[in-house]
């Protein structure tokens, strides 16, 4: 599943300008752009955003400290690849369910 920048903002609470800033300071975090030039975030991008949010807002890391932690964790990623795959699949299912519920509520309100 992929996400637009607006969907990422809605799901995480991280403002779009912050997401764009993080792209400039976090190595390996650069969502691709579609033909219209709009950012398209992958599951991996989404995972990085959630991890950055936790490190910066909850654990009070600086952006540099969070960047270093992300880099350190990416080196250890291989060790936990199976668990991460299961988490990613579950997150995808939950996100799809969230948007289905949201869209069905919107269509019911219009009736």
């Amino acid at each position: 599943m992929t996400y637009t920048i607006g969907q990422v903002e809605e799901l995480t609470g991280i403002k779009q300008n912050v997401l764009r800033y993080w792209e400039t300071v976090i190595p390996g975090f650069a969502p691709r752009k579609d033909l219209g030039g709009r950012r398209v975030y992958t599951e991996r991008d989404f995972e990085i955003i959630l991890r950055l949010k936790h490190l910066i807002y909850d654990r009070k890391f600086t952006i540099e400290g969070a960047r270093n932690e992300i880099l350190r964790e990416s080196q250890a990623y291989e060790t936990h690849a199976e668990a991460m795959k299961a988490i990613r699949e579950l997150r995808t299912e939950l996100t799809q369910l969230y948007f289905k519920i949201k869209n069905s509520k919107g269509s019911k309100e219009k009736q």
Side-chain angles (χ1 to χ4, degrees), residues 1 3 5 7 13 18-20 23-24 31 39-40 44-45 48 52 65 69-70 78-79 87 90 92 94 96 104 106:
M1 179 169 188
Y3 309 91
I5 195 168
Q7 289 173 322
V18 174
L19 293 169
R20 288 188 291 270
E23 290 176 31
T24 66
R39 287 167 172 78
V40 178
R44 180 72 179 130
D45 296 328
I48 292 171
L52 284 167
E69 183 68 10
I70 294 286
E78 297 283 327
T79 308
I87 290 169
L90 182 58
T92 298
L94 290 171
Q96 289 172 342
S104 70

Side-chain angles (χ1 to χ4, degrees), residues 56-96:
I56 294 169
Y57 294 104
D58 298 335
R59 303 242 349 251
K60 306 299 183 200
F61 277 56
T62 63
I63 190 72
E64 293 82 14
R67 180 185 63 224
N68 292 338
E69 183 68 10
I70 294 286
L71 290 172
R72 186 190 64 72
E73 290 172 357
S74 68
Q75 293 170 348
Y77 180 77
E78 297 283 327
T79 308
H80 309 325
E82 241 356 86
M84 293 303 296
K85 180 181 177 191
I87 290 169
R88 187 177 300 119
E89 289 171 358
L90 182 58
R91 184 180 294 124
T92 298
E93 289 177 37
L94 290 171
T95 304
Q96 289 172 342

Side-chain angles (χ1 to χ4, degrees), residues 12-56:
T12 65
I14 304 296
K15 299 289 183 194
Q16 293 181 25
N17 63 312
V18 174
L19 293 169
R20 288 188 291 270
Y21 172 70
W22 286 354
E23 290 176 31
T24 66
V25 295
I26 305 299
F29 175 58
R32 72 179 199 278
K33 294 187 179 180
D34 65 12
L35 294 174
R38 293 175 296 270
R39 287 167 172 78
V40 178
Y41 294 86
T42 64
E43 285 294 322
R44 180 72 179 130
D45 296 328
F46 192 71
E47 288 173 13
I48 292 171
I49 292 164
L50 291 175
R51 188 65 182 144
L52 284 167
K53 179 182 179 185
H54 172 72
L55 292 172
I56 294 169

